[in-house]
């Protein structure tokens, strides 16, 4: 079993839909949870960051972490064609110099106009 | 202003050759990373350097040799290239205090023929 599992997709939704992206993980030491967005032929860019359990909202994006279920989600409201990209979840156990991110495989989202 | 830059953007070469990829960051970060992203978009850490010191080496074949001449630069030299080395290589940088501040470069697309 991989440390981080992410729904493989791809996912195609109409403009304006609510999108739910999910990851599960097995390492209970993970405390820092991130979502990265990667446009085609570009590097990943940090979209959302959450520490421990809880919700975080930023505009149309909401990140949720449920450590008891080892489950994280990213919700996108009123999805736009510009949201079409690959979304990667990432996690870390600590923030020291030796910290590393463990990524999910990524899911490609397409928002149809 | 490019925060994390990589050269070259594209690299096409024959099996058995030796090649180098260069990375530079102008963010003042003290930690730099090399990641490999395969054709299925799976992003995996290879190395990290903190203040020019190797911190993480994720069981990468010793044909891969990173070098950090200073905090702003991290280069990757690959000897005896193999077909399986074809991938996109991303450089990233962060402050030691948090994975949330990890910034990625645009990637180097390596194709080994």
């Amino acid at each position: 079993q991989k440390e981080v599992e992410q729904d493989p997709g791809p996912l195609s939704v109409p403009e304006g839909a609510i999108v739910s992206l999910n990851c599960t993980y097995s390492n209970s030491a993970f405390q820092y949870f991130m979502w990265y967005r990667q446009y085609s032929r570009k590097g990943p860019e940090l979209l959302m960051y959450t520490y421990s359990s809880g919700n975080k909202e930023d505009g149309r994006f909401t990140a949720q972490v449920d450590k008891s279920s080892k489950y994280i989600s990213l919700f996108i409201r009123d999805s736009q064609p510009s949201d079409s990209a690959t979304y990667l979840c990432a996690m870390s156990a600590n923030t020291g110099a030796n910290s590393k991110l463990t990524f999910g495989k990524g899911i490609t989202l397409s928002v149809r106009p | 202003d490019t925060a994390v830059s990589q050269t070259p953007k594209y690299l096409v070469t024959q099996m058995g050759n030796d090649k180098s990829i260069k990375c530079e960051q102008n963010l003042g970060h003290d930690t730099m990373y090399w990641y490999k992203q395969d054709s299925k978009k799976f992003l995996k850490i290879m190395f990290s350097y903190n203040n020019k010191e190797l911190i993480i080496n994720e069981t990468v074949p010793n044909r891969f040799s990173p070098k950090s001449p200073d905090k702003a630069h991290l280069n990757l030299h690959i000897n005896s290239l193999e077909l399986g080395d074809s991938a996109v290589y991303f450089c990233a940088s962060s402050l030691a205090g948090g994975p949330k501040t990890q910034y990625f470069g645009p990637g180097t697309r390596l194709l080994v023929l």
Side-chain angles (χ1 to χ4, degrees):
Chain A
Q1 181 192 10
K2 285 199 187 306
E3 273 193 300
V4 179
E5 300 272 9
Q6 186 171 1
D7 294 341
L11 184 61
S12 179
V13 302
E15 186 174 351
I18 296 175
V19 176
S20 171
L21 307 175
N22 309 298
C23 287
T24 58
Y25 62 95
S26 57
N27 187 347
S28 56
F30 286 145
Q31 300 186 74
Y32 302 89
F33 304 91
M34 284 136 277
W35 287 94
Y36 280 81
R37 177 175 62 195
Q38 185 177 17
Y39 289 114
S40 181
R41 299 198 166 267
K42 301 284 186 188
E45 57 177 332
L46 181 66
L47 192 58
M48 297 286 283
Y49 160 75
T50 311
Y51 169 67
S52 194
S53 284
N55 292 359
K56 188 170 185 178
E57 190 172 320
D58 184 1
R60 297 183 294 109
F61 298 89
T62 300
Q64 279 187 358
V65 174
D66 182 349
K67 288 188 69 180
S68 61
S69 303
K70 297 193 180 70
Y71 188 89
I72 72 169
S73 300
L74 178 71
F75 297 96
I76 307 173
R77 289 184 299 281
D78 186 25
S79 55
Q80 303 293 310
S82 59
D83 296 327
S84 298
T86 296
Y87 290 80
L88 304 116
C89 61
M91 313 181 183
S92 175
N94 55 53
T95 60
N98 63 348
S99 67
K100 64 173 185 176
L101 294 182
T102 301
F103 282 85
K105 276 197 157 185
I107 183 169
T108 298
L109 170 67
S110 175
V111 181
R112 308 185 302 271
Chain B
D1 281 350
T2 305
V4 182
S5 59
Q6 294 179 229
T7 53
K9 282 191 173 175
Y10 299 95
L11 196 46
V12 181
T13 188
Q14 300 289 328
M15 244 181 3
N17 284 351
D18 303 338
K19 290 293 177 188
S20 291
I21 308 172
K22 295 187 175 183
C23 178
E24 177 181 0
Q25 54 94 4
N26 61 8
L27 297 166
H29 290 166
D30 49 13
T31 305
M32 296 185 73
Y33 311 81
W34 278 113
Y35 285 86
K36 180 180 179 180
Q37 189 172 46
D38 61 25
S39 57
K40 296 186 177 172
K41 300 277 192 180
F42 187 51
L43 196 62
K44 193 169 191 310
I45 190 167
M46 300 172 68
F47 302 102
S48 81
Y49 270 75
N50 177 254
N51 285 321
K52 303 192 297 175
E53 183 184 344
L54 179 65
I55 301 295
I56 294 174
N57 182 341
E58 285 287 298
T59 59
V60 177
N62 57 16
R63 297 183 295 106
F64 291 79
S65 51
K67 275 196 174 58
S68 181
D70 55 57
K71 281 184 358 178
H73 296 85
L74 180 62
N75 304 323
L76 183 65
H77 188 75
I78 316 172
N79 289 325
S80 304
L81 278 155
E82 300 178 356
L83 294 177
D85 297 331
S86 296
V88 183
Y89 292 84
F90 286 101
C91 177
S93 73
S94 74
L95 288 169
K100 61 186 180 292
T101 58
Q102 213 167 116
Y103 291 84
F104 284 79
T108 295
R109 280 156 185 79
L110 171 65
L111 178 60
V112 182
L113 303 173

